[in-house]
Amino acid sequence: INHPRPKLLFVAGIHGDETAGTLLLLKLADELLNQHHTKPILQTILDSVDLRLVPLLNPNGMYAGGDSTLYGATRYNANGVDINRNFPDRIYGAHADGNAYQPETKAIMHLDSSQQFNVSITFHSGAEVINYPWDHTATLHADDAWWQYIARSYVDTVHTYSPANYFTFLNNGIINGYAWYQVFGGRQDYMNYVQ
């Protein structure tokens, strides 16, 4: 039986001043495109999954200080909106942040709904932690045990191959989003509720 490959979406740069994810996804793209013939694991990835990369969702925020510098990068887009609060929300519905959907929000929502991804990851910068659903409510996700298992599996692997004290923030590298801090209109809850 020929099963369809799982569809994965990696998104970075939702906050323009969080640049690490953008650089990591560009590095991943470069590795996949240029090293897959010499590194079997990369060819296995390409053969096994349908991987989409969006290295920079918020270019106006990242390049707020000019096209050739990251100096002046800001969390917000050109309209002063935090894109990661601009998605439909299970509690507050459409426009949870009181703003119209931004061009970046609309573009990524269109991609999300047109492709029906199995897994989507949004990379942020600033804390070494995997944050899993829900962000907007203390009620645990129906798949909470699975989310914890996946997050812990990843972080345990990181601990095996990384220097000591890396990815040890909060609950040794994982946390329920709401338990960390509450977010309405966030991409994570949108992907797990709406999509």
Side-chain angles (χ1 to χ4, degrees):
I1 296 174
N2 187 12
H3 296 285
R5 297 184 304 167
K7 289 186 175 185
L8 282 64
L9 175 63
F10 292 180
V11 177
I14 195 168
H15 292 138
D17 60 351
E18 297 178 8
T19 59
T22 296
L23 298 173
L24 288 171
L25 289 188
L26 290 173
K27 174 70 172 161
L28 176 59
D30 182 62
E31 287 279 318
L32 289 169
L33 292 170
N34 296 309
Q35 301 295 323
H36 67 95
H37 294 299
T38 60
K39 296 181 180 178
I41 186 66
L42 298 178
Q43 190 62 53
T44 299
I45 291 169
L46 292 172
D47 292 342
S48 302
V49 299
D50 181 355
L51 177 61
R52 308 294 172 91
L53 306 178
V54 178
L56 181 52
L57 186 59
N58 182 2
N60 291 320
M62 188 170 286
Y63 292 101
D67 290 345
S68 60
T69 183
L70 296 180
Y71 182 79
T74 180
R75 175 182 190 94
Y76 308 98
N77 74 350
N79 296 325
V81 174
D82 182 339
I83 298 170
N84 199 39
R85 305 296 187 272
N86 193 237
F87 289 88
D89 186 82
R90 185 173 139 204
I91 294 174
Y92 286 103
H95 312 290
D97 64 353
N99 294 300
Y101 293 135
Q102 297 300 293
E104 302 89 344
T105 310
K106 288 192 264 187
I108 200 71
M109 286 193 314
H110 174 73
L111 177 64
D112 296 336
S113 63
S114 69
Q115 296 298 310
Q116 299 179 336
F117 293 101
N118 301 100
V119 174
S120 178
I121 299 170
T122 304
F123 293 85
H124 291 268
S125 301
E128 297 161 354
V129 66
I130 297 220
N131 159 359
Y132 56 88
W134 296 111
D135 286 336
H136 67 275
T137 181
T139 302
L140 296 179
H141 191 284
D143 295 322
D144 186 69
W146 181 83
W147 283 112
Q148 287 190 50
Y149 172 76
I150 294 298
R152 178 58 52 214
S153 295
Y154 176 83
V155 171
D156 287 350
T157 302
V158 169
H159 290 160
T160 299
Y161 295 101
S162 299
N165 298 318
Y166 183 64
F167 246 93
T168 58
F169 185 59
L170 299 170
N171 181 22
N172 201 26
I174 71 169
I175 189 76
N176 168 272
Y178 180 86
W180 189 9
Y181 62 91
Q182 190 173 36
V183 170
F184 294 104
R187 177 166 169 70
Q188 176 167 269
D189 287 355
Y190 163 77
M191 287 302 292
N192 286 284
Y193 182 72
V194 175
Q195 293 296 328

